Amino acid sequence: MCLRGNMKTINNEAFFGLFIHMMKGDNDDIIDWPFDGKVFITVKNRDLNRLQPENFHDTIVTSSDSVAFEQPVLYRNEVGIGHPDFIRVNALYSAGFVKYPPNDILVIKVHAICTGGDE
């Protein structure tokens, strides 16, 4: 899988979008296609000054009728699945997900679970 980010403006508000794309891999022949499972996405809150910094979570559940989860023919599927408005860019800074300065790094954790077949 490949996680891709995108910026989009909706009603004069900037949003950071996230999309999952299936990629060609060495073990494609043992995977039941289309990929069946769940993808968990966590954006880590890096504000160490907060007593209980809260991470931002989302779950993408695959759909067998989506071409996004079919076996890639080329390097990666051109069609991805995700959210064009995953999180407001303003919230990334104000809520402590991105610390600026000294560095402008966004930490994203992705965990995928295959629920199809016997894998």
Side-chain angles (χ1 to χ4, degrees):
M1 290 185 180
C2 170
L3 181 66
R4 296 178 64 109
N6 189 29
M7 300 292 283
K8 183 175 186 174
T9 302
I10 303 171
N11 296 330
N12 294 324
E13 182 81 45
F15 284 85
F16 179 69
L18 283 178
F19 298 90
I20 300 289
H21 291 262
M22 298 303 290
M23 295 188 64
K24 207 167 192 44
D26 293 338
N27 299 311
D28 285 356
D29 57 337
I30 62 170
I31 297 175
D32 289 333
W33 296 97
F35 177 81
D36 184 20
K38 294 181 181 179
V39 180
F40 302 94
I41 301 171
T42 301
V43 180
K44 302 293 283 179
N45 191 309
R46 302 177 63 234
D47 190 347
L48 301 177
N49 295 323
R50 293 178 187 242
L51 291 175
Q52 294 181 330
E54 293 186 26
N55 297 327
F56 186 79
H57 303 280
D58 191 40
T59 302
I60 295 174
V61 179
T62 64
S63 172
S64 61
D65 61 344
S66 173
V67 296
F69 296 105
E70 291 179 359
Q71 183 173 4
V73 176
L74 302 173
Y75 176 67
R76 70 171 165 79
N77 282 351
E78 288 297 315
V79 175
I81 194 160
H83 305 288
D85 55 353
F86 184 73
I87 192 168
R88 287 183 316 111
V89 171
N90 229 6
L92 290 173
Y93 289 93
S94 64
F97 294 99
V98 176
K99 299 301 291 175
Y100 182 82
N103 52 27
D104 209 11
I105 298 173
L106 181 63
V107 178
I108 302 172
K109 177 183 173 185
V110 178
H111 180 82
I113 297 177
C114 181
T115 56
D118 53 40
E119 292 89 40

